[in-house]
């Protein structure tokens, strides 16, 4: 996982996924007030944070803020999208190729967030900012009505908002426990290269 070529592959895959994610939100973004734009495309923002964190590493730098944002966002929105599509199927919405692809790709998002807890890290203030980002997004989505469009679940938005809040709590707690209680592995390419000389 910490090999440079593998990180480049992940960067490309997540970069393409980010572009597709923003495209998926295009209709909702057209109807979104400018002040809320950054808070609407949740999953693309999560993969964007991940891409930025990887870019820092590839250039022999670290951004613990983006690493923290990436981990908690990948887990939360990965699980959220899988859950929403599963609930949609339960309510009779036809699950087609696009929905299956979304469930698989978002499932891998959550897995990325967990796996990279071995390498990524954050300080307490950075974790606090990541927490604020998630909870603020929940507030914007379900108080100001900026949640992703699922018209067939509109009448259930209150319970979805409630579950989403607790998903934020679970995601934050899980990542905090993983990062603070796992043995950390180096992801410094220069350090590894020097050790081989």
């Amino acid at each position: 996982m910490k090999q440079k070529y593998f990180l480049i592959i992940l960067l490309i895959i997540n970069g393409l996924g980010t572009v597709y994610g923003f495209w998926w939100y295009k209709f909702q973004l057209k109807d979104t007030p400018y002040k809320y734009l950054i808070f609407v495309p949740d999953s693309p923002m999560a993969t964007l944070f991940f891409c930025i964190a990887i870019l820092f590493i590839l250039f022999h730098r670290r951004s613990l803020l983006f690493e923290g944002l990436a981990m908690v966002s990948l887990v939360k929105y990965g699980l959220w999208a899988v859950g929403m599509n599963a609930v949609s199927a339960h309510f009779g919405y036809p699950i087609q190729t696009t929905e299956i692809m979304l469930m698989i790709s978002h499932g891998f998002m959550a897995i990325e967030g967990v796996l990279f807890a071995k390498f990524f890290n954050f300080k307490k203030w950075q974790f606090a900012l990541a927490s604020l980002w998630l909870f603020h997004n929940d507030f914007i989505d379900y108080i100001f009505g900026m949640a992703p469009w699922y018209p067939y679940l509109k009448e259930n938005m209150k319970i979805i908002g409630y579950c989403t809040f607790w998903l934020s709590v679970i995601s934050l707690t899980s990542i905090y426990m993983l990062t603070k209680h796992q043995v950390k592995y180096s992801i410094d390419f220069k350090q590894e290269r020097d050790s081989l000389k």
Side-chain angles (χ1 to χ4, degrees):
M1 282 176 57
K2 62 182 180 177
Q3 298 300 316
K4 190 171 184 178
Y5 76 89
F6 186 70
L7 290 177
I8 292 173
I9 291 172
L10 283 182
L11 178 63
I12 293 170
I13 293 172
N14 282 273
L16 292 173
T18 301
V19 172
Y20 175 79
F22 282 114
W23 178 86
W24 190 88
Y25 277 96
K26 64 183 182 298
F27 296 115
Q28 184 172 354
L29 290 174
K30 287 180 180 178
D31 292 337
T32 300
Y34 288 118
K35 61 183 178 181
Y36 297 132
L37 281 177
I38 195 174
F39 304 110
V40 169
D42 298 325
S43 295
M45 289 300 296
T47 52
L48 179 61
F49 293 149
F50 188 54
C51 288
I52 293 172
I54 291 177
L55 279 171
F56 269 99
I57 292 168
L58 290 174
F59 284 95
H60 309 293
R61 299 286 187 271
R62 297 293 293 272
S63 174
L64 300 188
L65 176 58
F66 281 107
E67 290 180 14
L69 283 168
M71 285 187 288
V72 298
S73 298
L74 286 171
V75 171
K76 177 189 173 180
Y77 295 114
L79 294 176
W80 185 91
V82 172
M84 284 296 288
N85 282 283
V87 169
S88 300
H90 175 74
F91 279 91
Y93 186 81
I95 300 299
Q96 300 173 344
T97 305
T98 300
E99 285 71 29
I100 294 173
M101 181 201 71
L102 287 173
M103 291 178 74
I104 293 173
S105 61
H106 282 78
F108 277 111
M109 279 175 54
I111 292 171
E112 282 180 332
V114 171
L115 291 179
F116 272 83
K118 292 181 179 181
F119 308 106
F120 285 1
N121 211 337
F122 49 73
K123 296 179 181 178
K124 288 183 178 179
W125 69 268
Q126 294 159 338
F127 181 75
L129 284 180
S131 303
L132 179 62
W133 173 261
L134 289 194
F135 288 126
H136 186 260
N137 262 14
D138 291 344
F139 190 84
I140 295 297
D141 283 351
Y142 298 100
I143 301 299
F144 289 91
M146 296 293 127
W149 286 349
Y150 283 86
Y152 40 90
L153 294 176
K154 189 174 182 180
E155 65 275 12
N156 299 295
M157 290 309 286
K158 287 185 178 179
I159 187 65
I160 291 172
Y162 177 78
C163 293
T164 300
F165 166 80
W166 282 107
L167 181 57
S168 294
V169 173
I170 292 168
S171 301
L172 289 163
T173 303
S174 300
I175 290 299
Y176 184 84
M177 298 298 289
L178 282 171
T179 55
K180 297 307 173 187
H181 294 87
Q182 279 194 144
V183 175
K184 286 293 174 182
Y185 295 91
S186 171
I187 200 167
D188 186 336
F189 303 123
K190 183 177 184 302
Q191 184 183 54
E192 291 178 5
R193 190 167 58 247
D194 291 344
S195 68
L196 295 175
K197 292 180 180 179

